[in-house]
Amino acid sequence: MPATHEVTNQVPDLVGHDVAADPPLLEALEREGAGWYRDELHAVGRLAGSATAQAWADAAHRHEPRLRTHDRVGHRIDEVDYDPGYQELTRVAVEHGFAGAAWADDRPGAHVARAAGYVTWSQVEAGHGCPITMTYAVLPALRAAPELLAQYGPGLTSRVHDPGLRVPTTKRGLLAGMGMTEKQGGSDVRTNTTVARPDGSDDTVYRLTGHKWFTSAPMCDLFLVLAQAPGGLTCFLVPRVLPDGTRNTFRIQRLKDKLGNRSNASSEPEFEDTVAWRVGDEGRGVRTIIEMVACTRLDTALGSTAGMRAAVSRAAHHARYRSAFGRTLIEQPLMREVLADLACESEGAVALAMRLAGAQDRAAGDPREAAFRRIGVTLGKYWICKRQTAVVGEALECLGGNGYVEESGMPRLFREAPLNSIWEGSGNVNALDLLRLLAREPATLEAYREEVLGVDDRVDAGFKDVEAELGAPEERGARRLAERMAVLLTGALLVRHAPSAVADAYVSSRVVGDHGHAFGTLPRGTDVDALLARLPETETSA
């Protein structure tokens, strides 16, 4: 090679490592009651760090989903073709139980194990997680229709990935989606105009006519859909294929051209005399899907945690190998400050997200945990998802110009970062939900108090300031209240469970407020070495 082509001081690919070799995640797995899952989690982590899985993810984004409205001879089929890499990513997720399997697993900590696996596997690629999350979330909503749950539950909890449109009751494994929003209302689903008319053959069978605005993963086997029945807004189950084997009317008008999440198709389906089964009572649509919303919001927090850890891992890996001015980047004081700050922020996300997964596990048998889950998921969804964009942006900068190049993987993480803050209710929606919880369910605030108070004087002092706002919370201050409550909760969790240096760094910077507007501005005296020791391992076999 010519001398000008000699390559030095470049960072090896982050491949051949165990993504689950992440101290905060492993500690949370044990703490929240799923230590029995450690070996399988490491198996998932090694696959996530493999060249094979990364090739699947790359292919799924380079070869985006393609809509086929008609077959060769003109029949309407409304199918979406995915790259085989996307199908492989989905297969692994289903086989490892990240879809609906946790609901059929009676081991203590089943939802915690699933959460840890979801965080680990989502670091490979986030788009395929959409149908995985929706399948997980549909099952609690179907409790409002026991016959439908009995009919579809076994397929939704299966660990078999069975792609292709067939009669749902005869398939070995099912994936589920949702069709809630419409173009005139978005999050204001009560303005939906899709109409549901009783079929007359059965009091649970209806015919839908309308147009949905943002229905992701349209090749799922069944969808929960909101529509206006005679008695008001109601939830319905819409299968893509009917029991007699014919295609239900599910006309995909177009696929969305999105900022990120491009491996996952998001569509606008149109219903015309579409057959649907009622889930719950007429007029109780929002109440019926509320458990589904809680589960999807939990997964947005888990997914954003995964996005942060993936970005921070790449930044740390780069800094461990790249040299400048005679030293590796990770030896440079300013870079150490930035990485330590990113480690602190992302570890807080791990602690909060996994605590919420623990509450999910225990909520059915513990009213206090159920109350904590309701307020904790609202706060976690709001704050963790907000922080993802900032963390990924700073981590990308750690790679300099190399981070701006597609092959680094950072641009895809950056394009993905804003999604979870929008999906299942933007920041304003979640902040308003917090106000409603505080007004209508006082048990949630009491559960929050028990979780936060009594572990650190600085956290207690911060809560006193919040209490002054709780007396008469105003809508205009809802985001500030949500942020402050989420930060206090995260700080309390780190004080309880993380090494003292990590907890002190978080509390002194985020709770007390001795922190700048950018990462790398931790208070003087912060134990940077202790924070860097908590970064995910990136030793590779390459």
Side-chain angles (χ1 to χ4, degrees):
M1 296 290 292
T4 54
H5 286 200
E6 184 180 357
V7 177
T8 61
N9 196 29
Q10 284 290 342
V11 176
D13 290 339
L14 181 53
V15 64
H17 68 297
D18 180 1
V19 176
D22 187 343
L25 183 63
L26 294 171
E27 291 166 14
L29 183 75
E30 297 281 350
R31 181 170 67 244
E32 297 296 340
W36 48 267
Y37 185 68
R38 179 182 281 259
D39 289 346
E40 185 173 346
L41 182 63
H42 279 299
V44 172
R46 288 189 292 271
L47 181 57
S50 70
T52 298
Q54 292 180 30
W56 292 339
D58 183 66
H61 281 263
R62 292 187 183 277
H63 310 129
E64 295 180 11
R66 185 174 65 91
L67 172 62
R68 291 188 296 123
T69 56
H70 296 77
D71 68 9
R72 181 183 62 83
V73 297
H75 297 123
R76 188 91 194 208
I77 58 173
D78 297 288
E79 292 192 2
V80 177
D81 293 333
Y82 293 92
D83 183 85
Y86 182 92
Q87 296 290 8
E88 287 297 307
L89 293 164
T90 305
R91 175 188 60 78
V92 171
V94 173
E95 289 180 355
H96 281 278
F98 307 151
W103 298 108
D105 191 338
D106 58 3
R107 289 176 292 183
H111 292 273
V112 171
R114 183 249 173 203
Y118 189 95
V119 168
T120 300
W121 188 242
S122 294
Q123 293 184 50
V124 183
E125 197 280 324
H128 77 285
C130 181
I132 299 302
T133 286
M134 292 190 294
T135 303
Y136 175 69
V138 156
L139 283 149
L142 286 181
R143 292 170 184 159
E147 290 185 3
L148 294 176
L149 181 60
Q151 191 173 16
Y152 295 110
L156 292 167
T157 58
S158 170
R159 289 176 179 252
V160 175
H161 180 43
D162 190 5
L165 292 177
R166 292 184 294 283
V167 177
T169 51
T170 64
K171 287 187 69 174
R172 295 182 298 162
L174 302 177
L175 291 177
M178 64 178 92
M180 308 299 176
T181 61
E182 297 182 6
K183 51 182 171 286
Q184 77 285 343
S187 296
D188 187 5
V189 294
R190 295 188 186 279
T191 65
N192 281 8
T193 60
T194 296
V195 175
R197 295 183 175 86
D199 177 82
S201 61
D202 183 313
D203 65 359
T204 65
V205 181
Y206 291 67
R207 299 279 178 155
L208 308 187
T209 300
H211 187 110
K212 291 297 177 179
W213 186 237
F214 220 105
T215 298
S216 290
M219 288 301 288
C220 286
D221 302 287
L222 54 95
F223 295 81
L224 289 193
V225 172
L226 290 177
Q228 299 287 358
L233 191 66
T234 304
C235 183
F236 296 92
L237 184 147
V238 175
R240 286 293 313 264
V241 180
L242 296 172
D244 64 3
T246 60
R247 300 282 184 98
N248 208 357
T249 305
F250 193 96
R251 298 196 183 112
I252 302 173
Q253 300 304 311
R254 62 171 173 164
L255 301 184
K256 298 290 194 180
D257 188 5
K258 298 176 293 183
L259 167 67
N261 204 248
R262 298 183 71 91
S263 69
N264 174 47
S266 297
S267 69
E268 292 179 35
E270 190 169 86
F271 304 138
E272 184 179 2
D273 214 28
T274 300
V275 182
W277 279 260
R278 178 165 48 80
V279 180
D281 297 330
E282 281 194 5
R284 302 279 289 175
V286 173
R287 176 59 57 185
T288 300
I289 66 166
I290 204 71
E291 277 297 308
M292 183 177 187
V293 170
C295 292
T296 51
R297 286 182 175 176
L298 170 61
D299 268 20
T300 59
L302 294 170
S304 285
T305 298
M308 282 192 257
R309 291 308 266 181
V312 173
S313 293
R314 288 182 181 275
H317 179 70
H318 183 85
R320 286 164 179 155
Y321 286 92
R322 182 79 164 178
S323 297
F325 310 112
R327 291 182 291 182
T328 59
L329 294 181
I330 205 165
E331 296 175 304
Q332 307 278 0
L334 270 180
M335 181 61 80
R336 292 172 65 79
E337 288 285 332
V338 171
L339 290 173
D341 212 349
L342 291 172
C344 186
E345 187 72 36
S346 61
E347 178 159 353
V350 172
L352 178 52
M354 292 300 289
R355 174 66 183 90
L356 298 177
Q360 176 87 324
D361 248 315
R362 298 183 283 272
D366 187 334
R368 190 265 180 192
E369 286 288 286
F372 173 74
R373 185 195 65 155
R374 284 194 291 277
I375 194 168
V377 166
T378 301
L379 295 172
K381 197 282 183 191
Y382 176 84
W383 187 236
I384 294 174
C385 297
K386 286 282 181 212
R387 299 306 291 156
Q388 182 183 2
T389 302
V391 167
V392 175
E394 191 69 57
L396 185 155
E397 189 176 327
C398 290
L399 277 68
N402 289 322
Y404 211 70
V405 174
E406 198 66 37
E407 287 90 341
S408 73
M410 297 300 291
R412 192 172 78 221
L413 290 174
F414 191 71
R415 289 192 297 270
E416 201 75 37
L419 173 64
N420 283 329
S421 197
I422 298 169
W423 189 27
E424 278 315 316
S426 61
N428 285 352
V429 171
N430 277 266
L432 292 173
D433 283 350
L434 174 63
L435 295 188
R436 280 189 284 271
L437 270 178
L438 294 172
R440 299 175 186 177
E441 299 188 43
T444 61
L445 179 57
E446 185 55 37
Y448 175 86
R449 278 196 183 98
E450 291 178 16
E451 197 75 21
V452 167
L453 294 179
V455 297
D456 188 284
D457 291 343
R458 296 165 295 179
V459 175
D460 291 352
F463 184 73
K464 286 183 180 178
D465 294 336
V466 167
E467 267 192 315
E469 295 185 46
L470 291 174
E474 297 180 358
E475 183 174 318
R476 62 175 293 185
R479 287 169 73 109
R480 181 178 61 195
L481 180 63
E483 175 179 326
R484 191 63 178 155
M485 291 181 71
V487 169
L488 289 170
L489 175 56
T490 304
L493 289 170
L494 291 174
V495 171
R496 289 179 188 275
H497 304 302
S500 59
V502 175
D504 187 66
Y506 190 94
V507 172
S508 62
S509 60
R510 275 78 168 166
V511 173
V512 175
D514 186 9
H515 193 258
H517 293 292
F519 288 103
T521 56
L522 289 165
R524 292 182 183 277
T526 297
D527 189 344
V528 170
D529 289 341
L531 287 165
L532 295 178
R534 306 287 286 175
L535 287 167
E537 295 178 17
T538 59
E539 289 296 323
T540 74
S541 59

